[in-house]
Amino acid sequence: MTQGMLFNTEEPPGRRDAPAQALAPGAWLFPGLVHARAPALLSAIGEVVRRAPLRHMTTPGGGRMSVGMSGCGARVWVSDAAGYRYETHDPRTGRPWPTMPALLRDIAGECAQKAGYDGFVPDSGLINRYGPGDRMGLHQDRDERCDAPIVSISLGVSAVFLWGGVTRSDPVRRIVVRNGDVVVWGGPSRLAWHGIAPVPQAQHPLCGDVRYNLTFRRTA
DNA sequence: AAGTCACT
DNA sequence: CCAA
């Protein structure tokens, strides 16, 4: 199979009404759920990154993350030589992270509700920018101090979402995520291992050769 | 360590 | 070369 087929950015008619797919207990993929609101979501991203520029974080072992990261809300995840943690201020500017735009907060709540998680009010919205070849290794989200679900929104160029289990040695599924797709995981899947395979060089009408991922969490 | 790399 |  060619990459051109696998990563075709065209969105077939009817994707907005595609059924939810269960990935694991408490974990769902909603194909095209926020497709219609992609332009508004991208506008909100622009608003945030204007005040908190995307940057490449380093890992405690000295590695450099390929993904450009920023965020909004009360706390944002950061990584540096000292480790992983949530910070209330942008280490790069010393200012508080931008307020989470109401549009983002509300859409995240709607997505969580679709997966059966009522009353989700995120206090953290991470923005990940993937250029061609950028990736995110398999990991768990375990720096939050509460067990609320994770809401993940894909925008722009399609990518392969790596979905493992709660044990590191569990098999990893490869799931194509396209512009407007939403993945929600919580409950028994809250600590599932996940990541993103290297993003292919491809074009999307709204984002050029870029994929954005928005992830919403409650950190405390 | 969300990083890389070596090896099979 | 890539995947596990």
Side-chain angles (χ1 to χ4, degrees), chain A residues 100-136:
Chain A
M100 187 182 299
L103 177 92
L104 297 185
R105 181 199 62 211
D106 293 347
I107 287 178
E110 289 174 30
C111 293
Q113 187 166 47
K114 287 268 185 185
Y117 300 106
D118 292 338
F120 177 63
V121 182
D123 65 357
S124 179
L126 302 189
I127 298 169
N128 290 169
R129 178 196 192 274
Y130 294 79
D134 293 349
R135 65 204 293 175
M136 182 78 74

Side-chain angles (χ1 to χ4, degrees), chain A residues 65-99:
Chain A
M65 297 182 73
S66 58
V67 173
M69 305 186 74
S70 183
C72 57
R75 278 171 287 279
V76 170
W77 185 88
V78 299
S79 176
D80 59 21
Y84 301 159
R85 64 198 177 276
Y86 281 90
E87 289 282 3
T88 57
H89 290 62
D90 181 348
R92 189 161 161 174
T93 63
R95 304 193 312 254
W97 295 102
T99 302

Side-chain angles (χ1 to χ4, degrees), chain A residues 10-24:
Chain A
E10 288 182 27
E11 289 149 36
R15 268 183 63 70
R16 297 174 198 190
D17 303 317
Q21 297 174 37
L23 300 180

